[in-house]
Amino acid sequence: MSERFVVVRVGQDDDGVKNDPVPDSGGAEGDSIDPQDSVPILEYSREPNRYGDGMPKESSPFINNTDHDKGNLYDGKNMALFEEEMDSNPMVSSLLNKLANYTNLTQGVKEHEEADDEEGPARSKKPVKSPALGTLIGVYLPCLQNILGVILFLRLTWIVGTAGIMESLAIVVMTCSCTMLTAISMSAIATNGVVPAGGSYYMISRSLGPEFGGAVGLCFYLGTTFAGSMYILGTIEILLTYIVPSAAIFKAEKKEDEPEALLNNMRVYGTCCLTLMSLVVFVGVKYVNKLALVFLACVILSILAIYAGVIKTAFEPPDFPICLLGNRTLQNHNFDQCLKTMKVDNVTVTTKLWSLFCDSPDFNATCNEYFTLNNVTVIQGIPGLTSGVIRDNIWGDYGPKGMLVENKHQMSEPAADTSQDIYMPYVANDITTFFTLLVGIYFPSVTGIMAGSNRSGDLRDAQKSIPIGTIMAIATTTFIYISSVILFGACIEGVVLRDKFGDSVKGNLVIGILAWPSPWVIVIGSFFSCCGAGLQSLTGAPRLLQAIARDGIVPFLQVFGHGKANGEPTWALLLTGGICEIGILIASLDAVAPILSMFFLMCYLFVNLACALQTLLCTPNWRPRFKFYHWALSFLGASLCVSLMFISSWYYALVAMLIAGCIYKYIEYRGAEKEWGDGIRGLSLNAARYALIRLEEAPPHTKNWRPQMLVLLNLESDHTVKHPRLLSFCTQLKAGKGLTIVGSVLQGTYMIKEDEVKKAEQNVKSSMATERTKGFCHVVASSNLRDGFSHLIQTAGLGGMKHNTVLMAWPGTWKQSNDPVSWKNFIETVRETTAANQALLVAKNVDSFPTNTDRLGEGTIDVWWIVHDGGLLMLLPFLLRQHKVWRKCKMRIFTVANMDDNSIQMKKDLQMFLYHLRLDAEVEVVEMHDSDISAFTYEKTLVMEQRSQMLKQMQLSRTEREREAQLIHDRNTASHAALNDKPDTGPDRVHMTWTKDKFLSERNRNRSEVNMGVRDLFNMKPNQSNVRRMHTAVKLNEVVVNRSQGAHLVLLNMPGPPKNRSGDENYMEFLEVLLEGLNRVLLVRGGGREVITIYS
């Protein structure tokens, strides 16, 4: 055990700070300390200090966590090497302590706590308990309750009778396989880290990004909302058909009006039920949660009653007689006995059944032809397991709406006239039946697998409970469905199975007549089950919408993120009720079920895609604890989802995809940008990497060449963009296509200029957004601007996605500036681009270029093609005219012919060349005659050279003065240092003394040199090469100004800089003369390769 000395501060110090005893100090328990004593006591301790070195800073959960700790320096010894990091990064011990105490609170807990705080201090607030639900209570049973529901009780027998056992098993296997594969994918996602409360929406959005997350989240919300409609319709159907049929408001006087009357009753009662349930949810969710156990018990008891009834049929089948007329099933509502006539007191009389088919009870009455030709037969509705009825129910019996439910094994005499059959009390199909329709109706019975993940915040160990509980619930329900299909087909007569509303069994629920001990067990159980499921849908859907709204990814939904003080989503509940009412107004359970099937299938599709995508990308953060997954299973699940969507209803599938696509594009266009580390971004990175590697294999073909721009910007002193119109011009030239890199340079080192660089990048990005320039921004810090721009030209881009064209502004103030650095940097940039084989575009008077909102009228873009540059001069106007700013401008091409050129033939050749290039342009050949060099040109050249020489002298003089001042400073420093050294002067040390006479003689010598240079300026003669260049610039400028002064834009070949750097300033003067008198000019210098071709 280590030995330590601990300083114990006793009493109060001068600042009045109350001192608490130091924990684990090793002092005797119960020792009292005199509060008057203020002397620190050094106590000996043998207890190991569990707080590192006993520093108060390390006792907090995080370094710099509390206000008391702020400002304190880390003064420990063990970690002194990392003391610089302690201000921003926590120690591992603190981090682990924070993570160990992590509690995953359910959604809305904070709001409830805040509401409790606002109620006042009088009410004692209970501490929030940590999540404690296990796999059984937290996942398995909720999934079981959500999966088993209305379709099982109201439609499964009808599906078995219509599709047959074999096809029903195919439906069950397909749908349950889809949900099982989805559950495997969901388990992998749910166990890849902590899943906060939010369930499937959270998983999908964080795996596939905000666009997919929002689209699928809203689809899941719509599915849950329509599920509420379906459960409410199921509740009303049970109430009005099996419990209280007399409560119907709309009653049909004729048989053919019964379906419409039923739908109207469903609408009225469904709306009332929806209003009542919404009020219950609004008043308090806790009541719904407390009743959840009751609803679950109803489901389990109902299923047990079904199995008990099936077992009972094996040795004692129930007595439910079915009346057949010929082979047609009769609705057993308005008659007691299945007889045409019967004997009462030895007198044969007609029965109620006779009155339904004849116009009077007399024997000579006119009766329906089929009734006259066929006899009535009584068969048992539930013959039992051992009856062999399973052979008759193996295959399906589909048919159109109005088709009569018939027993194919009964003898029947067909009637000639069947027009009156719809008015007779036969059991008939209420809708047209086919296999794909049954898939859509059945699928909602396997949804609800997300119930466990939606409760992730309440689970003790979500990463263990969600996979086990969900997969076990799906396995259990799959067994229940498969066994139910087989047992229903083996126990119940086919005509009863196809009787959707139980008309042949006196209006009883078909699955209820099978149950033991009474049909009422199933009726009441299914009623409460549907009520509970509807309440849970109305509870869960608004919270899902609230979670989406609070994420801020869909701007117009933000109002639904607000609610009551305790976090209840009031506005979201109102919207949910409104959408639910749409389903209620549809009124048909069979019509609503395929709608919610689409939305759930969309959700499951993207869960599978998220898992497959993360697995294939092998992202570093993809480390699920659930190991029994594979990308092939996820793709199979996704394929099953898509197949089931189009099998169920292809038009509903297209509508659901259209809705999801519109939401996706809306979030992409208007939504808030979120960075959630999603898989789509990883997919984009992988695709970009693959494309870059492919691009680098070979340079682009001439047909694929387009200007990939590097825009070199100059910044103001406050780091704003100096020429934003340069970005506008780039946008117009690119039209969003290809690569655009916007770069700039700050002078200095990055360590010093870091904040300024980031600020400049933000300003540049803001300007790019304003000017609608799509591309990348790169601001670098360099010791000087020339090197910075050189580095950008060399290194900007990546792999094959490198720029091939540099765009920059003409240094318009180079003459006014005393510092030659600006124009020297410009010329060096021209040389850099030439050496890198990159094209160069220089915009003069760029601030007068049009903005993106301008629309230039009729005008021209004039191209002066002096030398061939690979066709870039011809390509640029074509690209510009694709943009709406320049669309109305016409293109004119001028070329220059010398005296020995055939100008007429040149024009024809150029026209043919443009024809093959598919470019519409006017062609004009300008002849430049040989003429003597004018005195004006000679004088202009002389003035240029004199100015250049004078600037050199001034620069030299300035340099000498700076050198002189530096020399004085160095020698003074050396003399002071010599005085401080030892007085040991050897013969090898020479002391220089800067005397006054020496200073005067040096200054006079410099002045004489300057005077000699000034006298030479007036005696110099211009260089003949410069005179010729000036002559070309003057003559060409006259021609260009004469023809193109009114053009919207002039494109001109840019002459290259001189190889001898001593003529750089003259080069700038030549360009200035060449461009004089022109408003908007774009100097173009090719990159040394062909960029346009006549071939397809």
Side-chain angles (χ1 to χ4, degrees), residues 710-713 726 806-811 825-827 829-830 833 840-844 846 1082:
L710 170 63
V711 185
L712 299 181
L713 291 179
L726 202 62
V806 177
L807 173 64
M808 59 191 301
W810 171 262
N825 286 343
F826 172 79
I827 296 176
T829 303
V830 176
T833 56
L840 176 66
L841 309 179
V842 179
K844 188 185 180 190
V846 68
L1082 186 67

Side-chain angles (χ1 to χ4, degrees), residues 667-683:
I667 296 174
E668 184 182 55
Y669 180 67
R670 293 291 303 275
E673 293 183 2
K674 301 283 183 181
E675 175 52 62
W676 287 332
D678 52 87
I680 293 297
R681 186 170 292 272
L683 180 64

Side-chain angles (χ1 to χ4, degrees), residues 431-471:
I431 58 173
T432 301
T433 55
F434 43 90
F435 177 78
T436 57
L437 172 74
L438 299 185
V439 174
I441 293 175
Y442 174 77
F443 188 80
S445 66
V446 297
T447 60
I449 62 174
M450 301 288 186
S453 63
N454 291 340
R455 295 166 177 259
S456 57
D458 298 326
L459 300 175
R460 185 186 306 116
D461 186 357
Q463 297 190 15
K464 177 183 176 183
S465 297
I466 289 177
I468 296 174
T470 305
I471 292 174

Side-chain angles (χ1 to χ4, degrees), residues 383-447:
L385 273 175
T386 58
S387 64
V389 74
I390 189 171
R391 290 190 298 270
D392 300 332
N393 295 328
I394 288 291
W395 304 109
D397 188 11
Y398 301 106
K401 179 180 179 181
M403 187 187 82
L404 303 181
V405 176
E406 299 176 343
N407 188 334
K408 304 297 182 183
H409 301 286
Q410 292 291 123
M411 298 300 294
S412 173
E413 289 290 335
D417 183 17
T418 59
S419 60
Q420 298 299 312
D421 288 349
I422 60 174
Y423 305 109
M424 297 296 107
Y426 297 124
V427 178
N429 288 349
D430 63 330
I431 58 173
T432 301
T433 55
F434 43 90
F435 177 78
T436 57
L437 172 74
L438 299 185
V439 174
I441 293 175
Y442 174 77
F443 188 80
S445 66
V446 297
T447 60

Side-chain angles (χ1 to χ4, degrees), residues 589-606:
L589 184 68
D590 303 322
V592 173
I595 296 176
L596 65 99
S597 296
M598 292 303 117
F599 292 122
F600 278 119
L601 281 167
M602 285 285 292
C603 179
Y604 298 165
L605 166 67
F606 284 103

Side-chain angles (χ1 to χ4, degrees), residues 219 222-224 226-227 230 440-441 443-444 579 582-583 586 588-602 645 648-649 651-653 655-656 659:
C219 283
L222 291 173
T224 308
F226 276 104
M230 184 186 71
I441 293 175
F443 188 80
I579 298 174
I582 296 174
I586 294 174
S588 172
L589 184 68
D590 303 322
V592 173
I595 296 176
L596 65 99
S597 296
M598 292 303 117
F599 292 122
F600 278 119
L601 281 167
M602 285 285 292
M645 287 177 70
S648 302
S649 175
Y651 45 89
Y652 278 161
V655 170
I659 291 173

Side-chain angles (χ1 to χ4, degrees), residues 370-386:
Y370 188 85
F371 180 77
T372 305
L373 294 174
N374 293 278
N375 294 322
V376 292
T377 311
V378 176
I379 62 172
Q380 281 298 324
I382 303 179
L385 273 175
T386 58

